[in-house]
Amino acid sequence: MVVPRLAPLARTATRLHPRPGSPSPHDSSVGGPLLWPADEPWPHCDGPHEWDRVNRPLSPEDVRRQRTDQVAAAGRPWPDGPVPLLPVAQLYVRDVPLPRPPGQAEADLLQVLWCPFDHPAQPETALFWRSAAAVTEVLATPPEPPVVQFPGYLPEPCLLAPEQVTEYPDLLELGEELRRELADWKRWPAAGAPVDSGERHPLLEEWNRWRASGAAVDSSEVPYSKDFYTEFYRARLSLAPGWKVGGWTRWGLTDPVPRICRECGTEAVPLLTIASGEWDSGTHDWIPHEDRARTAPSTTDPQPWNPTMLDLAGGYDLQLYVCPTSPDHPHIELIQ
């Protein structure tokens, strides 16, 4: 290992890999139908839902139609009163290892819904844990909000292909000494770190030219730039992009901030990352092998990097954290 002191900081994350599909209520999914009891009221958001003078409101069906034939609807009224929440994700424990709520060993199904309006800067989420076996009759036609504030708040239905990966902390959470060790160029070749000769990063091309020259590891002519090594760690080794359960927090929009339960003061734990994309130009190494043949847009797949079609705060992720001591304590939302 390049920096052995990172080993105790390893965490397992489960990447969800959403892919377009037609999920049923009995599948783990993003944007699919929920296993919702027919006799349980559907959750609504009481607002307020302030009028957006810039973006014309669209109904969920308008958004779906717009995505298929680019026909937008006009003249939709702004909602007055409670708004039905939209299904965002449904995760069965049999498919995705989840930290079950304390005292709820029978809970094997997590359902995440949100209000498709800003509250104040992102959709407000609601979490529901339940036992799938206890749902004997499924709600056939859940209500939908009359309009959504942004098309990027309506997820496309996707099935999941969960994969467990190992993550390490964001650079912003590492101490100065650990960052210095990561920037030490001598550690990388000594640890046998792979170098992709196809990478176009200029620092890596410089590194490859030096390796090809046969120079010794301790040569004084080795090109050195801590920016390359820290970027290598950030993009390839530390945090998986996209939808995931658990793992470490990705920072960048802000510096790290404490995520403390406001009810009991306990540090909240990462539950779910709701992503605006599965990869970008800086995280190509994380593209699943199954998706590498479909990275370019097409008429049938306009955003292969974002099958859910979500867009949060201009391309950021919404991270959800829960209190490890009580399921009754409110969860925490964080945009990064």
Side-chain angles (χ1 to χ4, degrees), residues 15-24 27-33 88 91 155-163 241-243 275 277-279 286-295 300-301 303-309:
R15 301 182 68 189
L16 299 184
H17 296 318
R19 294 180 179 132
S22 299
S24 78
D27 294 315
S28 294
S29 64
V30 166
V88 177
L91 304 177
E156 279 291 297
C158 290
L159 291 164
L160 308 179
E163 173 199 19
W243 286 70
E278 290 300 292
W279 66 81
W286 289 98
I287 300 176
H289 291 291
E290 300 89 337
D291 295 330
R292 298 206 170 198
R294 46 178 290 271
T295 57
T300 58
D301 196 2
Q303 295 185 26
W305 59 89
N306 186 19
T308 67
M309 303 290 281

Side-chain angles (χ1 to χ4, degrees), residues 26-333:
H26 302 283
D27 294 315
S28 294
S29 64
V30 166
L34 305 183
L35 189 78
W36 196 270
D39 59 353
E40 182 175 326
W42 188 262
H44 286 63
C45 176
D46 292 329
H49 303 105
E50 297 182 2
W51 179 265
D52 190 324
R53 299 181 181 276
V54 177
N55 298 281
R56 182 184 299 277
L58 302 173
S59 74
E61 188 55 39
D62 292 337
V63 176
R64 297 183 184 108
R65 186 183 305 113
Q66 187 181 55
R67 287 174 177 173
T68 57
D69 60 12
Q70 302 301 309
V71 176
R76 291 288 182 179
W78 200 255
D80 182 16
V83 171
L85 302 190
L86 279 173
V88 177
Q90 175 167 272
L91 304 177
Y92 284 87
V93 171
R94 66 167 189 257
D95 301 321
V96 181
L98 290 162
R100 303 193 197 204
Q104 295 189 15
E106 76 287 352
D108 60 357
L109 178 61
L110 170 64
Q111 296 168 330
V112 182
L113 301 91
W114 67 24
C115 175
F117 291 83
D118 283 341
H119 291 271
Q122 75 273 328
E124 187 171 90
T125 54
L127 308 183
F128 295 86
W129 281 96
R130 66 176 78 252
S131 165
V135 182
T136 56
E137 184 180 356
V138 180
L139 181 63
T141 309
E144 284 196 324
V147 295
V148 299
Q149 188 167 6
F150 303 106
Y153 287 175
L154 179 68
E156 279 291 297
C158 290
L159 291 164
L160 308 179
E163 173 199 19
Q164 289 194 316
V165 297
T166 299
E167 291 192 332
Y168 296 93
D170 190 290
L171 277 168
L172 294 175
E173 294 203 72
L174 296 181
E176 184 177 349
E177 186 174 348
L178 274 174
R179 290 198 296 269
R180 279 201 305 267
E181 292 182 20
L182 282 170
D184 182 358
W185 64 266
K186 294 181 181 180
R187 291 177 173 270
W188 294 85
V195 179
D196 182 0
S197 59
E199 177 63 55
R200 296 182 180 274
H201 192 292
L203 291 172
L204 188 50
E205 291 177 352
E206 193 175 14
W207 164 265
N208 287 335
R209 285 195 296 272
W210 171 76
R211 289 285 299 273
S213 72
V217 168
D218 61 352
S219 169
S220 61
E221 298 177 357
V222 174
Y224 169 77
S225 171
K226 69 177 182 180
D227 292 336
F228 163 67
Y229 299 106
T230 53
E231 183 177 330
F232 186 88
Y233 172 81
R234 185 195 301 273
R236 298 186 175 197
L237 304 178
S238 56
L239 298 163
W243 286 70
K244 67 181 181 181
V245 167
W248 282 93
T249 299
R250 182 179 302 276
W251 299 99
L253 187 60
T254 69
D255 287 339
V257 295
R259 286 129 294 152
I260 304 299
C261 174
R262 61 177 180 264
E263 293 289 333
C264 67
T266 304
E267 183 176 1
V269 297
L271 177 65
L272 175 66
T273 296
I274 300 170
S276 293
E278 290 300 292
W279 66 81
D280 57 25
S281 59
T283 56
H284 273 197
D285 281 351
W286 289 98
I287 300 176
H289 291 291
E290 300 89 337
D291 295 330
R292 298 206 170 198
R294 46 178 290 271
T295 57
S298 67
T299 55
T300 58
D301 196 2
Q303 295 185 26
W305 59 89
N306 186 19
T308 67
M309 303 290 281
L310 292 186
D311 184 3
L312 299 167
Y316 287 94
D317 297 343
L318 176 59
Q319 302 173 6
L320 306 183
Y321 301 80
V322 290
C323 177
T325 65
S326 173
D328 297 324
H329 294 176
H331 65 283
I332 297 171
E333 299 175 337

